[in-house]
Amino acid sequence: MNFFTLLAILLGFSFYSLFIDNGLVVVQALHKIYPELQSLEKGNDTTEIKQLHRTGFHFQPHRHWMNDPNGPMYFKGIYHLFYQYNPEGAVWGNIVWAHSISRDLINWKSLKPALSPSKPFDINGCWSGSATVLPGFKPVILYTGIDSQNRQVQNYAIPANLFDPHLTEWVKPDNNPIVDPGTEVNSSAFRDPSTAWLSFNGHWNTIIGSRSEQTGMAYLYTSKDFLNWTKVEQPLHSVPNTGMWECPDFYPVSHFGRFGVDTSVTGNWVKHVLKVSLEMTRYEYYTVGKYYPMTDKYVPDNTSADGWSGLRYDYGNFYASKSFYDPMKKRRVLWGWANESDSVQDDVSKGWAGIQAIPRTVWLDPNGKQLLQWPVMELNRLRRKRVMMIHQKLVKGQNVEIKGITAAQADVEVIFSFSSLDKAEAFDPSWVDAQAVCSQLGSTAQGGVGPFGLLTLASENLEEFTPVFFRIFKGETNETNHVVLMCSDARSSSLKDGLYKPTFAGFVDIDLSSKKLPLRSLIDHSVIESFGGGGKTCITSRVYPTKAVFEDAHLHVFNNGTESITVEYLSAWSMRSAWVN
């Protein structure tokens, strides 16, 4: 068994395989089905659901498999979340559009599935898509169906009763599919229609992810009536050597402030964001740029790298995301799927797989070059017991435990400060891959300014811990230009063998003139979502400790750099569990 075969086994997620491309390990989605591991009887709910590692305040169904969030939307006072779900087992397969509703984005009630395979145009699968609310408060779902010829086609569904605020019943009209790949488009790589937007000429537009050989692209389709769609000659955007683009998302962001804008807004006072989920890497990338509605083209800014080296929503376990505009609170909200990092057999044994990351508000950084992300404000309602730390100095090699809260289910906000950056190490300009730098240096190797941060989900004697930390380097150009590395390192997260325990990392584009660096981490049993630099860099990690569980989990602040670090301010809250039925 060679290394890559072993790695493929360790990566035993429910639909992953590996291949080698010019020395790069590439993770590829296969939508692999494991019928021998699924519940054989439809509706079988007798499997014992194991509570170890289940989250307390992240969204996940009571049992079975979940993946992509589909078409989140706000309608008549209620938030709707649709998501890919297997009602028959804890692995991918038998996918339906599950449907849950909420009034606060945190506490949820499940309804019957909105869509299930039933017609010739979706008999082999109801895959991802989006929701659009048409004028007159008329919601429409666009989704990819796998038809009787195993082609990926685009369909629509409408509510059976618009007066039902829960939108319990959905109808799939017989004039589907409304978008057919025809002979020009690869029918096996043609999926995930985006939320539609209304153009200046009164036409509706949507994009659909695809590829032509290894050129990833977002095909653009336009319609006068939302029923008859025509492919625009050129895609909205494409990039060579990026492979299949899944779950594309395209939306405007205001130049100023945190408020969001409707998906159809255009003008000089907004920029546009194009996000794609790359099947080849299993990461998401986005660019900020200019949309030209007269020519139906999108051009990324020259500050946005367009491809594998570009910006990410999240530098960890976060995929297939979808955003929506919330007209009630005038914000854009982002959902993303955090899949499991244990084996398929582990998922079947525990009876569930997949969670949704906490919904995030997104807006344009004042520098205009990237997005900022922050957990929705409603999450704060779950905060309970609070402990604080102020002006705690950490010398080299010191860590201090944060006591008095439930460390396995917590929300931690901390501001680190330092009196000087003179001891910062030189940054090697060849370090273009933050994840590789984090893997090389880690959290325990002594540095100049850092590593410093949090030890989350730590066991009493630190046999297990997941560090979330920063390390600061002197930039190449001059001594006042610094590079900030942020890491979430799962290598020491569990004593259990056979887990995927990666280092995740990203660089933080932040001004250090204040000599302060903020961090927020949401800790929830098997997930750690971290927001560095006020939401500039986000990392989600899935971990499965064996000792640091429930009341035996601990939380520390630490510093392994020669420069002393001060915990300027820290607030940590125990978090109440959300209600998810």
Side-chain angles (χ1 to χ4, degrees), residues 264-495:
S264 297
V265 168
T266 57
N268 292 329
W269 62 284
V270 299
K271 288 191 174 187
H272 273 74
V273 173
L274 175 62
K275 185 277 306 185
V276 295
S277 306
L278 293 193
E279 184 183 50
M280 292 178 69
T281 66
R282 305 305 293 177
Y283 291 126
E284 301 203 300
Y285 302 80
Y286 75 89
T287 54
V288 178
K290 178 71 174 176
Y291 171 51
Y292 297 90
M294 297 291 291
T295 57
D296 286 322
K297 292 298 292 183
Y298 167 76
V299 179
D301 293 345
N302 58 14
T303 56
S304 281
D306 202 4
W308 289 17
S309 61
L311 295 165
R312 300 186 202 169
Y313 281 156
D314 194 294
Y315 290 82
N317 192 333
F318 188 93
Y319 195 72
S321 67
K322 184 69 64 175
S323 74
F324 75 100
Y325 174 62
D326 177 1
M328 178 57 65
K329 290 191 166 61
K330 302 295 188 292
R331 61 184 174 180
R332 181 156 291 273
V333 177
L334 174 70
W335 283 94
W337 166 49
N339 66 321
E340 303 302 312
S341 294
D342 56 3
S343 70
V344 173
Q345 288 75 18
D346 287 334
D347 295 343
V348 172
S349 175
K350 68 193 183 198
W352 55 271
I355 66 170
Q356 297 295 332
I358 292 297
R360 306 171 180 181
T361 303
V362 296
W363 68 97
L364 187 65
D365 189 313
N367 67 20
K369 296 188 296 183
Q370 69 167 97
L371 297 175
L372 298 177
Q373 303 171 63
W374 203 246
V376 292
M377 64 180 70
E378 290 89 339
L379 181 67
N380 296 357
R381 299 175 187 171
L382 299 181
R383 290 172 169 175
R384 298 177 65 190
K385 186 177 181 181
R386 179 190 189 188
V387 297
M388 297 181 65
M389 177 183 287
I390 298 176
H391 303 309
Q392 170 71 54
K393 187 176 182 179
L394 301 174
V395 299
K396 181 183 69 174
Q398 184 178 12
N399 73 70
V400 177
E401 184 172 0
I402 310 301
K403 298 181 179 181
I405 63 166
T406 304
Q409 193 168 310
D411 183 356
V412 186
E413 292 193 51
V414 58
I415 298 175
F416 297 102
S417 67
F418 31 86
S419 58
S420 172
L421 291 170
D422 292 343
K423 296 179 182 178
E425 307 151 89
F427 183 76
D428 186 335
S430 69
W431 289 347
V432 295
D433 184 342
Q435 189 168 346
V437 179
C438 181
S439 296
Q440 176 183 335
L441 300 179
S443 65
T444 57
Q446 178 182 304
V449 184
F452 61 88
L454 300 173
L455 300 181
T456 69
L457 294 177
S459 59
E460 183 175 6
N461 297 316
L462 297 183
E463 304 98 331
E464 295 178 331
F465 61 92
T466 301
V468 182
F469 61 96
F470 299 109
R471 193 168 185 142
I472 302 175
F473 302 89
K474 291 178 182 176
E476 183 183 11
T477 55
N478 57 68
E479 292 191 357
T480 62
N481 178 34
H482 292 86
V483 177
V484 179
L485 176 72
M486 176 180 167
C487 302
S488 182
D489 189 347
R491 288 178 293 184
S492 56
S493 62
S494 178
L495 296 175

Side-chain angles (χ1 to χ4, degrees), residues 513-546:
S513 59
S514 67
K515 294 186 172 61
K516 295 181 179 179
L517 197 50
L519 173 67
R520 183 178 183 183
S521 288
L522 306 176
I523 305 163
D524 198 1
H525 300 280
S526 64
V527 59
I528 304 155
E529 280 190 81
S530 298
F531 302 80
K536 285 177 173 284
T537 300
C538 307
I539 304 177
T540 299
S541 291
R542 297 300 308 279
V543 296
Y544 307 91
T546 62

Side-chain angles (χ1 to χ4, degrees), residues 31-63:
H31 291 106
K32 185 174 180 180
I33 301 175
Y34 295 83
E36 73 279 8
L37 297 175
Q38 297 178 44
S39 302
L40 299 179
E41 182 182 347
K42 285 184 179 293
N44 179 6
D45 286 337
T46 62
T47 304
E48 179 185 358
I49 303 303
K50 295 182 180 178
Q51 297 304 310
L52 182 66
H53 301 136
R54 276 188 68 86
T55 61
F57 56 90
H58 284 71
F59 180 92
Q60 64 180 128
H62 178 59
R63 61 180 71 240

Side-chain angles (χ1 to χ4, degrees), residues 45 49-51 54-55 58-68 81-87 89-90 96 98-100 108-111 335 337-338 340 350-357 579-581:
D45 286 337
I49 303 303
K50 295 182 180 178
Q51 297 304 310
R54 276 188 68 86
T55 61
H58 284 71
F59 180 92
Q60 64 180 128
H62 178 59
R63 61 180 71 240
H64 300 330
W65 167 275
M66 173 183 65
N67 60 291
D68 308 6
L81 176 63
F82 305 96
Y83 53 95
Q84 301 274 275
Y85 178 65
N86 180 3
V96 303
H99 183 194
S100 294
W108 293 87
K109 176 179 176 59
S110 63
L111 303 178
W335 283 94
W337 166 49
E340 303 302 312
K350 68 193 183 198
W352 55 271
I355 66 170
Q356 297 295 332
W579 184 68
V580 180
N581 179 22

